[in-house]
Structures are given as structure tokens and as C-alpha cells.
Amino acid sequence: MTTILTIQSHVAFGHVGNRAAVFPLERLGCETIAVNTVQFSNHTGYGAWTGTVFPPDHVAEILAGVAARGGLAGCDAVLTGYMGDAALGAVVLDAVVRVKGLNPRAVWCCDPVMGDVGRGFFVRPGIPEFFRDRAVPLADIITPNQFELEYLSGRVVEDLAGALEATAAVRALGPRLALVTSLARRDAPADRIEMLLDTPDGAWIVATPRLDLTPPANGAGDATAALFLAKLLETGSPAEALGHAASAIYAVFTATAAAGRRELQLIAAQEELVRPRRLFVPEKVR
């Protein structure tokens, strides 16, 4: 049984953070240890929300309790995402070091949630620098969107060559795998959205039709990172994990568009999290 420690935000209503990651992980057969960094009524994309950003001491206390039960010793991976406060970074790094000390084969999949194209940064001051300078160099896998890739690499991404230069730059910081969860480039058809995976053994791109989700659904990056990590741990194949993640999240988008809802329809599309009906095959580009 694969066990994943996931340290992310939590919302009561909707699907972002751990609420977007835990269910896909469990449907793909992973045991999860979910530690929440915030508890909000809903995601902040609504413009108004209630709730609390948990102080670092609280998160550290929860992790200490898990460790006391032997929970960290059985972890095969750590998955992290949105952080409400830069001070939480030290707690996350400590958890990763402890897990890897207990299981040297464990991997850290870091989703450097900072901002998005059109919105810019939406996190508190200090968080982008934490990801760039401390988290990314220690991570095994990173899953930035295009905006985050540009910030981490210091490059503007306009075409495939630029995207590959950017992923090579961020991998040079430390991670073995860089998965760009949303890529829009001028040398690709405008009616599709892509994911790009760069690894030491090559790079793959997978394209899916661009769906009209109005208003846009939040949490897709959180769910995609979880799907990719679970499938990678199951198969050991980065390209296969990429194809599965793209196919599964496309099924979720399709269900979300059909429902006319703002929140990701993870429950409605749950069978396709495991066995997507429409499969998208990655193309090797390097």
C-alpha cells in the first residue's frame, strides 16, 4: 500500500488543496495522511471567505502527533501545495527531511502554488522566494503552472523551445522531474491546452481540448499533481503518469462543464480518475 503525506490547504465547500488531492489519491489506491495548513469556508477565488490560516506551531504539532504514531515512517511520498504563511515553510521542510530520513526512497512532490497567468501572485509576501530558494532545490518533483514556471526559471515562455529551456533551468535547481500543469504557447493550436513533463530521460507533451469553464474552476493544479504522483508511484513511468493525469483531469473538466458548476466535479467523475474513457497519449519532444 502506497502512503502519501499531503500537507495542503483545506476548504469546507468545494475542491481545492487537500480537498482536491485526497479523494483522487484514495481512488487510485493510496493511503493518505492529510495535514491541513488552513481551514477556509471556500477557496479565495470567490473573493470572500471565512476561516483561519493555521500557525506553523499548530501544523508542527499535528505532524509530531502523526510521527508519534509511526505514521511518517511508512510514507512513500510527501505532497505539498498552497501555504498560507511563509513561516510554514520551515515546518514543511522539516517534515520532508524526517520522512526521507525514515525512508530514503521517499519523494517530495512540491506544487509551488504562487499565482497564475492573468492574476499574478496571490500568496503572501515571502512565499515565492521560499519556493524558489528553499523548496524547489530540495524537491524531487515540481508541478508549476506556466506563470510559476516563468518565475522560478526567470524566463518568459512563449513557445515550446522556451518552455523546454525554462524546465531545464528549474530542473538544474534540483528537481528530477518538472511537470508544467498548464501550458499555452504561440506555436500550438489555440483550441487546446497542454501539459509538459521534463525529466532526465526526455521530455513529453500532452494536449487536450480546451473547454469553456466560465467561471474558471479552481483546484485543477492540486488534483493534477495528486493524479500524477499517485500514478508515478504505481507505474514508475513518468510518461505514463503524465498521460493518465491529463486524461483524468480532462474527464473532470468535462463533467464540470456539463454540470455548469464552478467547483471541480471530482465525485461525479470519480470512475474516470481511475479509468479515463478518453485517453490522451503524450508525445516525446526531447
Side-chain angles (χ1 to χ4, degrees), residues 23-24 27-28 227 244 248 252 266 269-275:
F23 184 70
R27 284 295 279 125
L28 287 170
L227 290 162
H244 183 91
V252 173
L266 291 170
Q270 62 180 285
E271 295 302 326
E272 296 199 69
L273 297 177
V274 183
R275 289 174 292 275

Side-chain angles (χ1 to χ4, degrees), residues 181-225:
T181 56
S182 60
L183 177 64
R185 53 190 176 94
R186 65 187 180 191
D187 53 344
D191 62 348
R192 72 181 189 179
I193 189 74
E194 297 173 323
M195 295 168 59
L196 172 66
L197 174 65
D198 195 359
T199 83
D201 300 316
W204 289 263
I205 202 161
V206 62
T208 58
R210 186 185 294 273
L211 299 176
D212 181 19
L213 295 177
T214 306
N218 293 69
D222 305 323
T224 298

Side-chain angles (χ1 to χ4, degrees), residues 64-91:
V66 172
R69 305 285 80 77
L72 298 186
C75 288
D76 300 286
V78 180
L79 174 62
T80 61
Y82 174 82
M83 295 184 193
D85 194 308
L88 180 63
V91 176

Side-chain angles (χ1 to χ4, degrees), residues 213-269:
L213 295 177
T214 306
N218 293 69
D222 305 323
T224 298
L227 290 162
F228 176 79
L229 177 61
K231 208 64 181 179
L232 179 67
L233 293 173
E234 176 190 333
T235 67
S237 169
E240 185 174 342
L242 172 64
H244 183 91
S247 302
I249 200 66
Y250 178 76
V252 173
F253 284 156
T254 301
T256 304
R261 302 284 297 278
R262 181 167 182 169
E263 297 294 336
L264 291 175
Q265 296 300 293
L266 291 170
I267 309 304

Side-chain angles (χ1 to χ4, degrees), residues 41-217:
S41 56
N42 50 271
H43 67 70
T44 59
Y46 283 96
W49 66 94
T50 58
T52 300
V53 175
F54 293 136
D57 288 350
H58 170 83
V59 179
E61 183 180 5
I62 298 299
L63 286 163
V66 172
R69 305 285 80 77
L72 298 186
C75 288
D76 300 286
V78 180
L79 174 62
T80 61
Y82 174 82
M83 295 184 193
D85 194 308
L88 180 63
V91 176
V92 170
L93 293 181
D94 178 70
V96 170
V97 169
R98 292 178 71 179
V99 167
K100 289 193 169 216
L102 294 164
N103 178 10
R105 293 175 296 180
V107 298
W108 178 18
C109 180
C110 173
D111 185 2
V113 180
M114 295 179 281
D116 206 350
V117 174
R119 293 181 63 189
F121 289 107
F122 51 67
V123 293
R124 291 184 177 183
I127 292 177
E129 292 81 6
F130 164 77
F131 279 122
R132 182 191 62 202
D133 301 335
R134 301 186 64 193
V136 169
L138 293 179
D140 300 285
I141 307 162
I142 59 171
T143 61
N145 60 30
Q146 186 164 338
F147 175 86
E148 293 154 353
L149 173 68
E150 291 184 337
Y151 169 76
L152 293 172
S153 67
R155 290 166 167 79
V156 175
V157 174
E158 296 182 335
D159 53 22
L160 180 57
L164 289 170
E165 288 177 4
T167 54
V170 294
R171 285 206 310 108
L173 298 175
R176 283 180 52 80
L177 307 182
L179 170 63
V180 186
T181 56
S182 60
L183 177 64
R185 53 190 176 94
R186 65 187 180 191
D187 53 344
D191 62 348
R192 72 181 189 179
I193 189 74
E194 297 173 323
M195 295 168 59
L196 172 66
L197 174 65
D198 195 359
T199 83
D201 300 316
W204 289 263
I205 202 161
V206 62
T208 58
R210 186 185 294 273
L211 299 176
D212 181 19
L213 295 177
T214 306

